[in-house]
Amino acid sequence: FNIKDYPLLECCQMALESVRYRMPDGVKLTFSPAGEPIVVHVDNLRLQQLLTNLLTNAAKFTEKGEINLSFQLAPDREKVYIAVTDTGAGIPLEKQAAVFNRFEKLDDYKPGAGLGLSICKTIVEHLQGDISVKSEIGKGSCFTVTLPFDRKTED
């Protein structure tokens, strides 16, 4: 990991560009950045990998509607929340805890080895963060990455 200060907006924009062509017809890719510039202390390539994995997964399980990438500072300004929200198939409650395990696949008919979310979890842990999911069958999922925010990086 090569940890440096990096503008979160740029990192998100690069991840969005890398997955734009993978969006199914009828699915809109949207972006809701915070209203202020946020600089995070991360490995830029690893954070992009994490976001790309989350966005690609969302595209795999969303046939219509929207996939949104957003980020914002916590009210206490000690954490940054990055969320990928989709209007996809959703994840059953009893499977939500397991999705971050290696080789865990919810649908054997979808491509992938079941490693994407476990890789996301590993990256987030190396960045001293956390990842969680909230989901409802038939309505979609929201994966939230919480990273520490170092006020010293603020201008």
Side-chain angles (χ1 to χ4, degrees):
F1 280 73
N2 181 15
I3 308 286
K4 305 195 266 207
D5 289 347
Y6 204 82
L8 187 52
L9 181 70
E10 281 180 36
C11 189
C12 289
Q13 287 171 328
M14 291 172 86
L16 287 164
E17 283 310 308
S18 74
V19 299
R20 196 168 296 284
Y21 72 95
R22 295 184 196 170
M23 289 300 121
D25 289 342
V27 176
K28 195 164 78 171
L29 182 61
T30 60
F31 183 38
S32 306
E36 62 185 303
I38 296 175
V39 174
V40 286
H41 200 65
V42 295
D43 180 316
N44 175 43
L45 291 175
R46 296 289 183 213
L47 184 58
Q48 278 183 50
Q49 179 184 10
L50 169 112
L51 296 175
T52 301
N53 279 356
L54 292 176
L55 291 163
T56 303
N57 256 17
K60 242 191 272 189
F61 293 97
T62 304
E63 293 179 7
K64 60 183 173 27
E66 179 181 3
I67 296 170
N68 178 264
L69 173 61
S70 64
F71 66 84
Q72 65 184 27
L73 267 179
D76 65 8
R77 301 183 74 76
E78 292 188 2
K79 295 186 221 39
V80 177
Y81 299 116
I82 306 168
V84 172
T85 308
D86 66 56
T87 56
I91 304 165
L93 187 59
E94 67 275 7
K95 298 245 182 175
Q96 289 178 22
V99 296
F100 298 106
N101 296 341
R102 292 177 57 176
F103 305 111
E104 188 67 36
K105 288 186 67 162
L106 296 181
D107 184 340
D108 290 331
Y109 299 102
K110 297 280 184 191
L115 288 171
L117 291 174
S118 73
I119 290 169
C120 288
K121 185 173 172 59
T122 301
I123 292 170
V124 168
E125 287 171 351
H126 273 83
L127 298 174
Q128 276 86 49
D130 190 38
I131 187 168
S132 61
V133 62
K134 286 185 180 163
S135 186
E136 199 174 328
I137 292 294
K139 294 199 174 170
S141 302
C142 179
F143 284 83
T144 302
V145 173
T146 305
L147 295 176
F149 179 70
D150 183 0
R151 294 167 198 243
K152 291 189 293 278
T153 61
E154 287 188 271
D155 292 332

